[in-house]
Amino acid sequence: MLTLKQRGWLLPPAAVALLAGVFVGRASSQLLFSVAGSILAFAAVLLLKGRLRFVACIVFAFVLGSLAGFLGFHPSLPPEGDYRVGGVISGEITDGSFGQVRVPLSSVTLNDRPVSGGAYWTFYIDEHKDEKKPDDLLPGKYVSFQGSLYHPEGAVNPDGYNFREALLRKGITFGVYENDELMIRDPDFFSYAGFIASLRHRLSEALIKGLGEETGGYASALLLGMQSFIPSEDHEAFANLGIAHILSVSGFHVGVLIGILALLFRWLNLRQKVRLLIYAVILLFYATLCGLNQPVIRAALCTLLFVEGRILNRPRSGIHLLSTVMIVTIVFSPAQVTGASFALTYSAMFGLLWFLPWAERLNPFRNRVPARIFESLVVTFGVQLALLFPELYFYQRLPLLSFLINLPAMAVFSVLIWLYWIALVLLLIPGLTALLSVPLSWLTGNLLSAVRCLGKIPGLTLWLPSANGLTVLGVILALAGLCAIVRLSGKVRVPLVLAGIAVVVISLLPWPHMGTDYIQFSVGNADAAVLRDQDQVVVIDTGTDDGQISGYLRSHRLTPDLVILTHLHSDHAGGLKALARDRIPVRTLCLPVGAESQQIDDGILDLLNQYRDAGTEIRYLSRGDVIPLPSGTLTVLWPEDGRVRSGQEANHYSLVSRLTLKGTSMLLTGDLSGAYEMYAAAPAGILKASHHGSASSTSPEFLSAVSPDVILLSCKADARTEAFLDRTGFPDVWSTSDCGAVTVRFEEGGYTVVPYLSPVVSGGIEHGS
């Protein structure tokens, strides 16, 4: 048996070991190691004694974490293909770009056979044909349709979005698309997830009806987690002020609910055990009502453990509460560990626990009110400091006003949430909600006006490169110096804190880029690339509005010197929206001559005008134009000025350029059609295939004229890659469909091709010039 002291010290290291094990299991490709390790470690726990048993328990936590990580991140998936799909709508129905509709499904069947895990269903409506979503497509309904199943991708680009793991954190394992032969009806069986989704939808509709669209929408968001009711502009304003956490139901919102219940229980004079039971029932239901939101679950568990400890007269330290909650949530949902909310929750709690002793020790006030304010300020500072690393890692931003505005903002919004809860309860009595409509609308409107005005002040957010291991070291040093639990003299604390701050600052400095790299991003049947030639950054096409290019630039804190669009189709120029949304300045935007007079996608001209109004220089390129680069040149080969006709297919006049870098040439062809490609044919060692490998481009005559050693192909489906290989017979093709992003590193006398996803041997495939 472990001694009482050993059991007391076991939870924190066991939680850390479990977390580390999950990451090992996530990266593992075999289950056997985890299973065998779990059996051996459990046997060691039973057989060993004393300190060896203590160590065995930690090892067991590690291998158990690796087992949970493997199962959580490598679920069993049905084969890809076409199915008759059935399922219950179990969440919020949201709209995406270009008429996309996104629907989460549970209780899923494929060809009438039930499968485990939820499904992410997407389909498109053609707004130009006045198509609309079906009116009866609502949460809680059962849908049946003919669709295609696919396995979601993980990150396929440097610093890219991991779509697969984002779905796994929601309990969704695969995706389906299309909506042929769609049927919608009430389910003929009870679905708890569908019932809760329907209830949440009906409550939101009732709040909007009773309080008005804006006030009711914010009440739905802050109480029920209905994020789609919050405009993107408001999200941005809250983020700029460092109070974006107020918009997402989390521990703060659970704390407000607990405060309401505590006052009610005190008024009713309920016994402690009755209180615990009611807390458990209400918090469990609330977590479910919020769609099993993980921050709500973590806050609810922490609250219940704390209350249970007080009732049983077994007070638990904050670090043990935090460790227990971490162990429970990781075991039941290991996919959460890679999400931003997981890191933010535990970092915030850790900062609170770390600085609470300082708040109590240094408090100079005896009066209750100023003492509470002082403690809140100190703890808020600690929480913000602990959030530094995850904020930089996930969002690359540091809101400069967050230390000042967080405390008053949380106090004011706590009052607002209290009033929202009252309005929600009054929904049970017809007509009473209207009594709160006017004062709540006034309060909500004024608060939002204040946030919007403050959020527009320039310079509120400091954008920095993504945090790294050196940043972690700096934060640890600073926290160690500020740790009130450990007794250290001022001569030790001050240098530790200063050293930590210095390391953090150094880690976030923009270091010069000395190489020459071309990155062809994996963006489906679209084009997006970044050329980094020493200190110069050139974006060549921006892809769709999916944030891939803007996310990469933001995480590395890069400002493009040039953005070159080969033509004005949304799969090449749509990413301009994301650049504007992420506040990445575009100093100069280059277009092929005559680009705006061709057949282009809707909304692109409006987007260009927005950039013009913002001061972006628009330049037009044609055959013979040369752009100097630190390691070479970019020479335009097509279109030719004077030979461009208006009103044509934009692909015909797609910009074609020849990069010459350190003695190696690369031909960039955009979406140039086969009818015009011979006008731009020029010898090159590397060819970026035109129009995503379409059969209408890259003819044998064109390939013979270019005579490349390597071809880069930007496309979505493996079938497109295989068709391109069969058609051209070219042996050395690097396709983003199976390689992810493809990086070409130019060196004097040659270059190296490095795929993002495929195994890399000796740094990639080297070529001489």
Side-chain angles (χ1 to χ4, degrees):
M1 293 290 292
L2 294 175
T3 64
L4 183 62
K5 184 176 180 181
Q6 287 175 329
R7 289 200 298 270
W9 281 103
L10 180 60
L11 273 177
V16 174
L18 184 74
L19 179 62
V22 169
F23 281 100
V24 171
R26 172 182 177 241
S28 178
S29 59
Q30 293 188 3
L31 182 62
L32 182 61
F33 167 78
S34 298
V35 173
S38 298
I39 295 173
L40 291 174
F42 184 69
V45 170
L46 296 177
L47 297 176
L48 298 176
K49 296 181 180 180
R51 294 180 179 178
L52 290 178
R53 175 173 285 185
F54 181 88
V55 174
C57 287
I58 296 176
V59 173
F60 177 67
F62 175 79
V63 293
L64 181 64
S66 69
L67 179 60
F70 183 89
L71 296 175
F73 286 97
H74 303 87
S76 177
L77 298 175
E80 294 183 326
D82 296 332
Y83 295 90
R84 184 70 192 176
V85 183
V88 177
I89 301 176
S90 57
E92 199 175 355
I93 300 171
T94 56
D95 298 326
S97 301
F98 308 110
Q100 186 188 56
V101 181
R102 307 162 181 164
V103 186
L105 300 177
S106 64
S107 304
V108 181
T109 61
L110 300 176
N111 294 339
D112 297 324
R113 297 182 61 180
V115 293
S116 60
Y120 180 76
W121 173 34
T122 56
F123 63 91
Y124 287 85
I125 55 175
D126 192 339
E127 299 172 348
H128 300 295
K129 297 180 180 179
D130 294 327
E131 291 182 357
K132 296 181 179 180
K133 284 184 296 187
D135 293 335
D136 54 348
L137 188 71
L138 299 170
K141 292 289 187 178
Y142 180 84
V143 295
S144 176
F145 57 92
Q146 194 71 27
S148 298
L149 184 148
Y150 65 93
H151 299 163
E153 288 184 329
V156 293
N157 292 305
D159 305 294
Y161 178 65
N162 196 317
F163 179 56
R164 185 178 72 89
E165 292 187 3
L167 292 182
L168 287 175
R169 289 194 287 272
K170 299 177 182 179
I172 296 173
T173 56
F174 59 90
V176 289
Y177 61 93
E178 301 299 349
N179 61 337
D180 297 335
E181 304 174 26
L182 175 63
M183 296 175 58
I184 306 172
R185 59 178 172 82
D186 292 324
D188 53 12
F189 57 91
F190 179 74
S191 167
Y192 186 68
F195 166 75
I196 290 295
S198 177
L199 176 61
R200 184 165 63 245
H201 176 73
R202 293 199 301 270
L203 289 175
S204 297
E205 283 191 326
L207 285 169
I208 291 173
K209 183 179 180 181
L211 300 176
E213 186 172 349
E214 182 178 73
T215 305
Y218 266 85
S220 300
L222 297 182
L223 299 185
L224 308 174
M226 304 289 280
Q227 291 291 299
S228 63
F229 292 119
I230 300 178
S232 59
E233 297 82 4
D234 287 358
H235 271 290
E236 184 178 354
F238 276 80
N240 289 340
L241 296 174
I243 54 174
H245 58 90
I246 290 175
L247 298 180
S248 301
V249 178
S250 60
F252 164 63
H253 303 76
V254 173
V256 174
L257 176 59
I258 292 298
I260 296 173
L261 293 176
L263 283 178
L264 182 63
F265 294 162
R266 187 177 302 172
W267 179 63
L268 295 173
N269 198 25
L270 294 177
R271 296 172 57 188
Q272 290 286 355
K273 291 186 178 180
V274 176
R275 294 185 185 190
L276 177 61
L277 178 61
I278 297 175
Y279 273 136
V281 172
I282 290 179
L283 290 178
L284 176 62
F285 179 74
Y286 182 58
T288 309
L289 187 62
C290 292
L292 293 179
N293 183 299
Q294 284 295 319
V296 175
I297 292 174
R298 292 190 284 265
L301 283 175
C302 206
T303 299
L304 291 176
L305 287 172
F306 176 76
V307 174
E308 185 262 349
R310 291 186 61 181
I311 290 174
L312 299 179
N313 198 24
R314 295 176 181 174
R316 298 180 175 93
S317 70
I319 194 68
H320 284 84
L321 281 177
L322 203 60
S323 300
T324 303
V325 173
M326 181 181 288
I327 289 172
V328 172
T329 54
I330 286 177
V331 168
F332 284 96
S333 184
Q336 300 299 321
V337 303
T338 58
S341 72
F342 182 89
L344 292 170
T345 295
Y346 288 108
S347 295
M349 291 297 296
F350 184 75
L352 187 150
L353 296 173
W354 208 255
F355 277 78
L356 194 57
W358 280 115
E360 296 171 349
R361 181 184 299 178
L362 300 177
N363 199 331
F365 302 100
R366 294 184 178 181
N367 189 285
R368 184 178 179 182
V369 174
R372 287 288 180 86
I373 294 175
F374 177 82
E375 290 179 1
S376 299
L377 288 173
V378 173
V379 169
T380 300
F381 173 80
V383 169
Q384 292 299 314
L385 183 62
L387 288 174
L388 176 64
F389 174 74
E391 280 277 354
L392 291 174
Y393 181 79
F394 288 102
Y395 305 115
Q396 297 84 48
R397 66 174 180 234
L398 185 63
L400 300 178
L401 289 185
S402 60
F403 288 95
L404 298 176
I405 205 170
N406 242 304
L407 189 59
M410 291 174 69
V412 173
F413 275 93
S414 294
V415 175
L416 186 64
I417 293 172
W418 273 61
L419 295 175
Y420 284 159
W421 275 114
I422 294 172
L424 184 64
V425 172
L426 290 180
L427 288 175
L428 301 172
I429 307 173
L432 284 185
T433 305
L435 297 176
L436 280 175
S437 175
V438 174
L440 262 181
S441 296
W442 179 85
L443 179 58
T444 302
N446 280 281
L447 277 176
L448 293 178
S449 295
V451 169
R452 290 162 184 163
C453 289
L454 289 173
K456 291 180 180 178
I457 298 175
L460 289 180
T461 301
L462 183 62
W463 293 93
L464 297 166
S466 182
N468 50 48
L470 200 58
T471 316
V472 176
L473 176 61
V475 172
I476 290 174
L477 288 174
L479 287 175
L482 294 169
C483 180
I485 301 173
V486 180
R487 294 183 178 180
L488 296 173
S489 66
K491 293 182 179 179
V492 177
R493 288 190 188 279
V494 173
L496 272 178
V497 173
L498 294 177
I501 294 173
V503 171
V504 169
V505 171
I506 291 172
S507 73
L508 299 176
L509 289 176
W511 294 96
H513 181 77
M514 303 306 296
T516 302
D517 302 328
Y518 173 92
I519 306 174
Q520 187 72 48
F521 285 80
S522 178
V523 287
N525 288 332
D527 263 333
V530 171
L531 171 65
R532 297 188 66 185
D533 188 11
Q534 297 181 32
D535 60 345
Q536 193 158 346
V537 179
V538 180
V539 173
I540 304 169
D541 282 333
T542 60
T544 60
D545 183 22
D546 58 3
Q548 294 285 1
I549 284 289
S550 63
Y552 174 81
L553 295 174
R554 188 187 63 219
S555 64
H556 291 272
R557 199 58 196 131
L558 299 175
T559 298
D561 298 280
L562 285 177
V563 173
I564 300 173
L565 300 180
T566 58
H567 59 297
L568 297 181
H569 281 164
S570 58
D571 59 333
H572 291 247
L576 286 176
K577 290 184 180 179
L579 292 177
R581 191 168 55 244
D582 285 346
R583 299 186 183 183
I584 295 173
V586 177
R587 299 164 182 164
T588 305
L589 182 62
C590 297
L591 308 176
V593 63
E596 293 159 286
S597 63
Q598 307 306 321
Q599 298 175 12
I600 60 179
D601 290 346
D602 293 340
I604 298 296
L605 288 181
D606 292 337
L607 196 56
L608 290 178
N609 288 330
Q610 290 175 22
Y611 273 92
R612 279 195 182 94
D613 294 341
T616 297
E617 178 192 358
I618 307 292
R619 289 176 55 187
Y620 297 93
L621 303 177
S622 61
R623 186 182 188 93
D625 288 336
V626 177
I627 297 175
L629 298 167
S631 301
T633 58
L634 183 148
T635 304
V636 178
L637 303 180
W638 183 258
E640 187 173 339
D641 196 10
R643 301 187 64 175
V644 176
R645 294 179 296 164
S646 300
Q648 303 299 305
E649 165 60 49
N651 289 346
H652 294 339
Y653 299 110
S654 182
L655 188 78
V656 179
S657 56
R658 188 173 188 259
L659 273 174
T660 304
L661 299 168
K662 297 185 176 180
T664 297
S665 57
M666 181 175 185
L667 192 63
L668 306 176
T669 56
D671 275 0
L672 184 65
S673 57
Y676 290 82
E677 63 183 8
M678 291 307 295
Y679 289 107
I686 306 170
L687 169 67
K688 204 289 292 179
S690 175
H691 206 192
H692 324 295
S694 169
S696 62
S697 302
T698 320
S699 64
E701 294 79 13
F702 181 75
L703 270 180
S704 177
V706 177
S707 188
D709 299 314
V710 167
I711 294 179
L712 307 186
L713 176 61
S714 176
C715 67
K716 181 177 182 179
D718 290 339
R720 175 68 70 93
T721 301
E722 292 168 3
F724 183 84
L725 291 171
D726 291 340
R727 181 170 60 84
T728 62
F730 199 83
D732 201 355
V733 175
W734 298 80
S735 171
T736 59
S737 68
D738 53 21
C739 296
V742 179
T743 300
V744 181
R745 293 174 180 161
F746 294 89
E747 302 113 15
E748 293 295 342
Y751 58 92
T752 304
V753 181
V754 183
Y756 183 74
L757 295 181
S758 302
V760 178
V761 180
S762 300
I765 306 300
E766 295 185 359
H767 292 266
S769 60

